[in-house]
mmCIF file of all heavy atoms in Angstrom:
data_model
loop_
_atom_site.group_PDB
_atom_site.id
_atom_site.type_symbol
_atom_site.label_atom_id
_atom_site.label_comp_id
_atom_site.label_asym_id
_atom_site.label_seq_id
_atom_site.Cartn_x
_atom_site.Cartn_y
_atom_site.Cartn_z
ATOM 1 N N GLY A 37 169.417 162.656 -222.560
ATOM 2 C CA GLY A 37 169.258 161.312 -223.128
ATOM 3 C C GLY A 37 167.894 161.273 -223.796
ATOM 4 O O GLY A 37 167.099 162.190 -223.623
ATOM 5 N N ARG A 38 167.649 160.224 -224.570
ATOM 6 C CA ARG A 38 166.340 160.145 -225.241
ATOM 7 C C ARG A 38 165.266 159.579 -224.328
ATOM 8 O O ARG A 38 164.106 159.926 -224.451
ATOM 9 C CB ARG A 38 166.451 159.279 -226.503
ATOM 10 C CG ARG A 38 167.213 159.936 -227.640
ATOM 11 C CD ARG A 38 167.599 158.920 -228.677
ATOM 12 N NE ARG A 38 168.461 157.886 -228.092
ATOM 13 C CZ ARG A 38 168.981 156.864 -228.745
ATOM 14 N NH1 ARG A 38 168.726 156.718 -230.032
ATOM 15 N NH2 ARG A 38 169.757 155.991 -228.130
ATOM 16 N N ARG A 39 165.639 158.681 -223.413
ATOM 17 C CA ARG A 39 164.617 157.998 -222.604
ATOM 18 C C ARG A 39 164.188 158.882 -221.431
ATOM 19 O O ARG A 39 164.729 158.815 -220.326
ATOM 20 C CB ARG A 39 165.153 156.643 -222.150
ATOM 21 C CG ARG A 39 165.216 155.629 -223.300
ATOM 22 C CD ARG A 39 165.957 154.392 -222.949
ATOM 23 N NE ARG A 39 167.392 154.593 -222.852
ATOM 24 C CZ ARG A 39 168.280 153.638 -222.608
ATOM 25 N NH1 ARG A 39 167.877 152.401 -222.409
ATOM 26 N NH2 ARG A 39 169.565 153.918 -222.547
ATOM 27 N N ALA A 40 163.177 159.704 -221.730
ATOM 28 C CA ALA A 40 162.719 160.692 -220.752
ATOM 29 C C ALA A 40 162.252 160.032 -219.464
ATOM 30 O O ALA A 40 162.425 160.598 -218.371
ATOM 31 C CB ALA A 40 161.597 161.522 -221.361
ATOM 32 N N ASP A 41 161.670 158.825 -219.561
ATOM 33 C CA ASP A 41 161.180 158.159 -218.346
ATOM 34 C C ASP A 41 162.331 157.876 -217.382
ATOM 35 O O ASP A 41 162.198 158.034 -216.166
ATOM 36 C CB ASP A 41 160.423 156.868 -218.711
ATOM 37 C CG ASP A 41 161.238 155.915 -219.567
ATOM 38 O OD1 ASP A 41 162.146 156.384 -220.304
ATOM 39 O OD2 ASP A 41 161.002 154.694 -219.488
ATOM 40 N N ARG A 42 163.483 157.496 -217.938
ATOM 41 C CA ARG A 42 164.641 157.235 -217.057
ATOM 42 C C ARG A 42 165.177 158.525 -216.435
ATOM 43 O O ARG A 42 165.611 158.527 -215.287
ATOM 44 C CB ARG A 42 165.744 156.545 -217.853
ATOM 45 C CG ARG A 42 165.404 155.127 -218.259
ATOM 46 C CD ARG A 42 166.668 154.370 -218.507
ATOM 47 N NE ARG A 42 166.392 153.025 -218.988
ATOM 48 C CZ ARG A 42 167.323 152.102 -219.163
ATOM 49 N NH1 ARG A 42 168.583 152.400 -218.919
ATOM 50 N NH2 ARG A 42 167.013 150.900 -219.594
ATOM 51 N N LEU A 43 165.165 159.599 -217.215
ATOM 52 C CA LEU A 43 165.625 160.881 -216.660
ATOM 53 C C LEU A 43 164.682 161.329 -215.550
ATOM 54 O O LEU A 43 165.138 161.822 -214.503
ATOM 55 C CB LEU A 43 165.688 161.941 -217.765
ATOM 56 C CG LEU A 43 166.673 161.678 -218.909
ATOM 57 C CD1 LEU A 43 166.563 162.772 -219.967
ATOM 58 C CD2 LEU A 43 168.108 161.584 -218.383
ATOM 59 N N ASP A 44 163.392 161.153 -215.776
ATOM 60 C CA ASP A 44 162.414 161.535 -214.743
ATOM 61 C C ASP A 44 162.602 160.689 -213.484
ATOM 62 O O ASP A 44 162.523 161.204 -212.358
ATOM 63 C CB ASP A 44 160.985 161.363 -215.279
ATOM 64 C CG ASP A 44 160.640 162.419 -216.325
ATOM 65 O OD1 ASP A 44 161.356 163.448 -216.388
ATOM 66 O OD2 ASP A 44 159.676 162.215 -217.084
ATOM 67 N N ALA A 45 162.878 159.392 -213.679
ATOM 68 C CA ALA A 45 163.088 158.514 -212.517
ATOM 69 C C ALA A 45 164.317 158.952 -211.722
ATOM 70 O O ALA A 45 164.321 158.955 -210.483
ATOM 71 C CB ALA A 45 163.232 157.068 -212.980
ATOM 72 N N LEU A 46 165.356 159.358 -212.451
ATOM 73 C CA LEU A 46 166.587 159.829 -211.799
ATOM 74 C C LEU A 46 166.313 161.110 -211.001
ATOM 75 O O LEU A 46 166.761 161.264 -209.860
ATOM 76 C CB LEU A 46 167.640 160.088 -212.882
ATOM 77 C CG LEU A 46 169.123 159.943 -212.556
ATOM 78 C CD1 LEU A 46 169.455 158.639 -211.865
ATOM 79 C CD2 LEU A 46 169.942 160.095 -213.844
ATOM 80 N N ALA A 47 165.560 162.012 -211.625
ATOM 81 C CA ALA A 47 165.221 163.270 -210.944
ATOM 82 C C ALA A 47 164.344 162.988 -209.730
ATOM 83 O O ALA A 47 164.502 163.622 -208.668
ATOM 84 C CB ALA A 47 164.513 164.213 -211.909
ATOM 85 N N HIS A 48 163.439 162.040 -209.873
ATOM 86 C CA HIS A 48 162.556 161.686 -208.753
ATOM 87 C C HIS A 48 163.386 161.129 -207.601
ATOM 88 O O HIS A 48 163.189 161.469 -206.429
ATOM 89 C CB HIS A 48 161.523 160.663 -209.225
ATOM 90 C CG HIS A 48 160.476 160.364 -208.203
ATOM 91 N ND1 HIS A 48 160.491 159.240 -207.424
ATOM 92 C CD2 HIS A 48 159.397 161.078 -207.808
ATOM 93 C CE1 HIS A 48 159.466 159.257 -206.596
ATOM 94 N NE2 HIS A 48 158.785 160.372 -206.805
ATOM 95 N N GLU A 49 164.370 160.291 -207.941
ATOM 96 C CA GLU A 49 165.203 159.666 -206.898
ATOM 97 C C GLU A 49 166.188 160.656 -206.265
ATOM 98 O O GLU A 49 166.348 160.685 -205.045
ATOM 99 C CB GLU A 49 165.971 158.496 -207.524
ATOM 100 C CG GLU A 49 166.880 157.783 -206.526
ATOM 101 C CD GLU A 49 167.849 156.822 -207.211
ATOM 102 O OE1 GLU A 49 167.572 156.370 -208.333
ATOM 103 O OE2 GLU A 49 168.899 156.544 -206.578
ATOM 104 N N LEU A 50 166.835 161.482 -207.114
ATOM 105 C CA LEU A 50 167.929 162.328 -206.610
ATOM 106 C C LEU A 50 167.472 163.738 -206.237
ATOM 107 O O LEU A 50 168.219 164.491 -205.621
ATOM 108 C CB LEU A 50 169.057 162.394 -207.638
ATOM 109 C CG LEU A 50 169.705 161.041 -207.993
ATOM 110 C CD1 LEU A 50 170.774 161.218 -209.061
ATOM 111 C CD2 LEU A 50 170.306 160.370 -206.755
ATOM 112 N N GLY A 51 166.262 164.102 -206.669
ATOM 113 C CA GLY A 51 165.707 165.386 -206.246
ATOM 114 C C GLY A 51 165.981 166.517 -207.215
ATOM 115 O O GLY A 51 166.409 166.310 -208.353
ATOM 116 N N ALA A 52 165.758 167.743 -206.733
ATOM 117 C CA ALA A 52 165.772 168.938 -207.589
ATOM 118 C C ALA A 52 167.149 169.235 -208.170
ATOM 119 O O ALA A 52 167.276 170.058 -209.081
ATOM 120 C CB ALA A 52 165.279 170.140 -206.796
ATOM 121 N N ALA A 53 168.187 168.571 -207.665
ATOM 122 C CA ALA A 53 169.531 168.785 -208.222
ATOM 123 C C ALA A 53 169.645 168.246 -209.639
ATOM 124 O O ALA A 53 170.585 168.594 -210.365
ATOM 125 C CB ALA A 53 170.583 168.126 -207.330
ATOM 126 N N VAL A 54 168.702 167.383 -210.029
ATOM 127 C CA VAL A 54 168.731 166.841 -211.396
ATOM 128 C C VAL A 54 167.669 167.536 -212.241
ATOM 129 O O VAL A 54 166.492 167.564 -211.875
ATOM 130 C CB VAL A 54 168.478 165.316 -211.400
ATOM 131 C CG1 VAL A 54 168.364 164.800 -212.833
ATOM 132 C CG2 VAL A 54 169.587 164.594 -210.657
ATOM 133 N N HIS A 55 168.106 168.080 -213.366
ATOM 134 C CA HIS A 55 167.169 168.695 -214.307
ATOM 135 C C HIS A 55 167.117 167.821 -215.558
ATOM 136 O O HIS A 55 168.077 167.812 -216.357
ATOM 137 C CB HIS A 55 167.630 170.111 -214.664
ATOM 138 C CG HIS A 55 166.688 170.813 -215.591
ATOM 139 N ND1 HIS A 55 165.608 171.535 -215.148
ATOM 140 C CD2 HIS A 55 166.645 170.867 -216.958
ATOM 141 C CE1 HIS A 55 164.950 172.027 -216.179
ATOM 142 N NE2 HIS A 55 165.546 171.629 -217.294
ATOM 143 N N PRO A 56 166.035 167.077 -215.770
ATOM 144 C CA PRO A 56 165.955 166.211 -216.954
ATOM 145 C C PRO A 56 165.806 167.038 -218.220
ATOM 146 O O PRO A 56 165.007 167.967 -218.263
ATOM 147 C CB PRO A 56 164.674 165.385 -216.711
ATOM 148 C CG PRO A 56 164.227 165.683 -215.332
ATOM 149 C CD PRO A 56 164.808 166.995 -214.947
ATOM 150 N N LEU A 57 166.596 166.698 -219.229
ATOM 151 C CA LEU A 57 166.531 167.446 -220.496
ATOM 152 C C LEU A 57 166.598 166.438 -221.648
ATOM 153 O O LEU A 57 167.657 166.204 -222.235
ATOM 154 C CB LEU A 57 167.697 168.445 -220.585
ATOM 155 C CG LEU A 57 167.571 169.530 -221.641
ATOM 156 C CD1 LEU A 57 166.445 170.506 -221.313
ATOM 157 C CD2 LEU A 57 168.885 170.288 -221.794
ATOM 158 N N PRO A 58 165.444 165.834 -221.967
ATOM 159 C CA PRO A 58 165.462 164.804 -223.009
ATOM 160 C C PRO A 58 165.577 165.383 -224.417
ATOM 161 O O PRO A 58 164.858 166.320 -224.754
ATOM 162 C CB PRO A 58 164.105 164.088 -222.824
ATOM 163 C CG PRO A 58 163.233 165.072 -222.116
ATOM 164 C CD PRO A 58 164.116 166.013 -221.364
ATOM 165 N N PHE A 59 166.511 164.873 -225.174
ATOM 166 C CA PHE A 59 166.582 165.167 -226.618
ATOM 167 C C PHE A 59 167.501 164.139 -227.269
ATOM 168 O O PHE A 59 168.270 163.459 -226.602
ATOM 169 C CB PHE A 59 167.066 166.603 -226.895
ATOM 170 C CG PHE A 59 168.453 166.927 -226.408
ATOM 171 C CD1 PHE A 59 169.569 166.614 -227.167
ATOM 172 C CD2 PHE A 59 168.638 167.559 -225.182
ATOM 173 C CE1 PHE A 59 170.851 166.923 -226.711
ATOM 174 C CE2 PHE A 59 169.913 167.865 -224.719
ATOM 175 C CZ PHE A 59 171.021 167.543 -225.486
ATOM 176 N N ASP A 60 167.373 164.068 -228.587
ATOM 177 C CA ASP A 60 168.208 163.165 -229.383
ATOM 178 C C ASP A 60 169.449 163.928 -229.837
ATOM 179 O O ASP A 60 169.333 164.964 -230.501
ATOM 180 C CB ASP A 60 167.390 162.668 -230.593
ATOM 181 C CG ASP A 60 168.105 161.563 -231.359
ATOM 182 O OD1 ASP A 60 169.349 161.592 -231.457
ATOM 183 O OD2 ASP A 60 167.402 160.674 -231.877
ATOM 184 N N MET A 61 170.621 163.417 -229.494
ATOM 185 C CA MET A 61 171.880 164.092 -229.838
ATOM 186 C C MET A 61 172.049 164.314 -231.336
ATOM 187 O O MET A 61 172.809 165.182 -231.748
ATOM 188 C CB MET A 61 173.074 163.229 -229.375
ATOM 189 C CG MET A 61 173.235 163.061 -227.900
ATOM 190 S SD MET A 61 173.704 164.568 -227.062
ATOM 191 C CE MET A 61 175.371 164.824 -227.662
ATOM 192 N N ARG A 62 171.366 163.522 -232.133
ATOM 193 C CA ARG A 62 171.546 163.613 -233.584
ATOM 194 C C ARG A 62 170.701 164.732 -234.201
ATOM 195 O O ARG A 62 170.846 165.042 -235.376
ATOM 196 C CB ARG A 62 171.159 162.276 -234.236
ATOM 197 C CG ARG A 62 172.045 161.133 -233.797
ATOM 198 C CD ARG A 62 171.451 159.804 -234.194
ATOM 199 N NE ARG A 62 170.174 159.575 -233.522
ATOM 200 C CZ ARG A 62 169.373 158.530 -233.746
ATOM 201 N NH1 ARG A 62 169.725 157.626 -234.622
ATOM 202 N NH2 ARG A 62 168.248 158.395 -233.081
ATOM 203 N N ASP A 63 169.815 165.308 -233.404
ATOM 204 C CA ASP A 63 168.844 166.282 -233.917
ATOM 205 C C ASP A 63 169.234 167.681 -233.445
ATOM 206 O O ASP A 63 168.955 168.078 -232.309
ATOM 207 C CB ASP A 63 167.451 165.873 -233.400
ATOM 208 C CG ASP A 63 166.345 166.780 -233.931
ATOM 209 O OD1 ASP A 63 166.649 167.898 -234.384
ATOM 210 O OD2 ASP A 63 165.180 166.360 -233.866
ATOM 211 N N ASN A 64 169.877 168.427 -234.340
ATOM 212 C CA ASN A 64 170.397 169.755 -233.973
ATOM 213 C C ASN A 64 169.293 170.678 -233.475
ATOM 214 O O ASN A 64 169.462 171.394 -232.478
ATOM 215 C CB ASN A 64 171.101 170.374 -235.182
ATOM 216 C CG ASN A 64 171.894 171.618 -234.812
ATOM 217 O OD1 ASN A 64 172.251 171.804 -233.652
ATOM 218 N ND2 ASN A 64 172.163 172.461 -235.789
ATOM 219 N N ASP A 65 168.130 170.662 -234.148
ATOM 220 C CA ASP A 65 167.036 171.565 -233.758
ATOM 221 C C ASP A 65 166.510 171.205 -232.372
ATOM 222 O O ASP A 65 166.258 172.086 -231.537
ATOM 223 C CB ASP A 65 165.886 171.495 -234.771
ATOM 224 C CG ASP A 65 166.290 172.080 -236.123
ATOM 225 O OD1 ASP A 65 167.286 172.832 -236.156
ATOM 226 O OD2 ASP A 65 165.624 171.764 -237.125
ATOM 227 N N ALA A 66 166.346 169.891 -232.127
ATOM 228 C CA ALA A 66 165.845 169.457 -230.816
ATOM 229 C C ALA A 66 166.835 169.828 -229.714
ATOM 230 O O ALA A 66 166.448 170.286 -228.627
ATOM 231 C CB ALA A 66 165.596 167.946 -230.822
#
Side-chain angles (χ1 to χ4, degrees):
R38 288 165 300 181
R39 287 170 288 183
D41 55 333
R42 291 203 184 187
L43 297 177
D44 289 343
L46 209 50
H48 187 259
E49 179 192 337
L50 299 178
V54 174
H55 182 87
L57 195 68
F59 62 84
D60 189 325
M61 294 292 292
R62 297 167 297 175
D63 183 341
N64 191 22
D65 292 341

